[in-house]
Amino acid sequence: TRRCTEQDIRATLQFVAITGVILPLVPDRTFGPLGGFNPYATWTMVILISGLGFVGYVAMRILGARAGLLVTSLLGGLASSTATTLAFSRRSREAPEWSAHFAVAIVAACTVMVPRVALAIAVVSPALAIHLAPTFAALTVPALVYGVFWWRRRAGMPAPSELPLHNPLGLGTSIKFALLYAVIAFLIKAVIALEWDAGLLPLSFASGLTDMDAISLSLANSREAGSVALETAGLAVTLAAVANTLMKAGLALTLGSPGMRRPVVTVLGFTAAAGVVAAWLLP
């Protein structure tokens, strides 16, 4: 407790609030046109994602700088791979001599997103998670190859400085995610009601540009409800992953140092290509 800061206490109280205080007060019934909004289901998804992020934050606070940049990036990816990419890209301009370390940190954080999303989907729809297992495996191959390459070249690289840790959880963040999830869930139900199944694919790609969790969980819920076919849901999640990967590559390209941009954009480019191939081959 002596190591706890005011920010740590606030983060803990906020997580307790969204879990043990708000959830029991949220009505468990549908509202709006097409019955497209269920407050309880929406807030349950908020707790699922916020819980993963909170666990990552606590782990970073416990391990501290001793864990090194790589472990910090893995835990940062557990909280938010997009936020980690943004933060490390900016830091690479401040300390360009450590660009190689920041590059591998971003790749690691982006790779952690894959099992994190897979776990979230598995909690909601095990069948969809099993169906997507080959795709998720393909998405990790470019990062694993780069990881082996970096591991062999790590000798002689300067040790990175300690990175400041930021609380990834907040009521504002949770509410924004709830609104995003509710909008995506409603759009999916509207597309289904209009029998425009092909509309799920562009919707998934557009949603994946900003957030991977909301569209994945919405599709998992729709799959369990029987309103979306397993193959369609799998293809839509894959397209969302490709879009999310391209977005993070764009962040690194526009905000990172020259030494960091090349490896990150290359690895994420191959990752997106692997997703496209998986989407083409997915049964």
Side-chain angles (χ1 to χ4, degrees):
T1 56
R2 292 175 181 175
R3 296 179 57 189
C4 291
T5 65
E6 181 180 350
Q7 178 175 277
D8 298 335
I9 297 173
R10 183 180 297 110
T12 303
L13 292 177
Q14 287 175 346
F15 184 66
V16 170
I18 68 173
T19 306
V21 178
I22 297 179
L23 184 63
L25 301 177
V26 176
D28 187 10
R29 56 193 179 93
T30 57
F31 296 88
L34 305 176
F37 177 60
N38 186 316
Y40 189 88
T42 299
W43 203 257
T44 300
M45 296 301 104
V46 172
I47 291 174
L48 176 60
I49 299 304
S50 298
L52 292 173
F54 183 69
V55 168
Y57 173 73
V58 171
M60 283 190 284
R61 287 289 294 125
I62 293 175
L63 295 174
R66 293 173 300 177
L69 178 61
L70 180 58
V71 174
T72 303
S73 67
L74 292 173
L75 296 173
L78 179 63
S80 173
S81 59
T82 302
T84 304
T85 301
L86 179 63
F88 287 171
S89 295
R90 289 176 174 173
R91 286 294 303 274
S92 69
R93 285 187 176 271
E94 299 171 1
E97 66 275 15
W98 294 324
S99 293
H101 289 280
F102 288 121
V104 74
I106 291 174
V107 170
C110 294
T111 305
V112 169
M113 179 201 74
V114 177
R116 175 173 64 83
V117 172
L119 176 61
I121 292 176
V123 171
V124 179
S125 177
L128 180 57
I130 294 174
H131 179 72
L132 284 168
T135 299
F136 286 147
L139 291 173
T140 63
V141 171
L144 293 177
V145 173
Y146 176 69
V148 172
F149 172 76
W150 177 84
W151 183 261
R152 293 181 175 179
R153 295 181 61 248
R154 73 190 187 283
M157 291 183 179
S161 59
E162 182 177 353
L163 298 175
L165 304 179
H166 304 285
N167 176 16
L169 176 68
L171 291 180
T173 301
S174 299
I175 292 172
K176 289 177 182 178
F177 179 81
L179 294 175
L180 178 61
Y181 176 86
V183 169
I184 292 175
F186 173 77
L187 290 176
I188 289 177
K189 288 190 176 183
V191 167
I192 294 171
L194 295 173
E195 298 182 352
W196 188 38
D197 291 345
L200 282 175
L201 302 183
L203 173 62
S204 299
F205 187 87
S207 300
L209 290 173
T210 57
D211 185 89
M212 183 68 190
D213 298 309
I215 186 64
S216 299
L217 292 174
S218 296
L219 288 165
N221 272 317
S222 298
R223 162 58 197 157
E224 285 303 292
S227 55
V228 177
L230 181 63
E231 293 76 10
T232 303
L235 181 58
V237 171
T238 302
L239 291 179
V242 171
N244 193 261
T245 301
L246 293 175
M247 171 60 71
K248 285 179 286 194
L251 290 175
L253 182 63
T254 56
L255 299 176
S257 64
M260 187 275 292
R261 289 198 301 259
R262 183 180 301 173
V264 171
V265 172
T266 300
V267 174
L268 294 185
F270 278 111
T271 301
V276 172
V277 172
W280 181 51
L281 298 177
L282 194 67

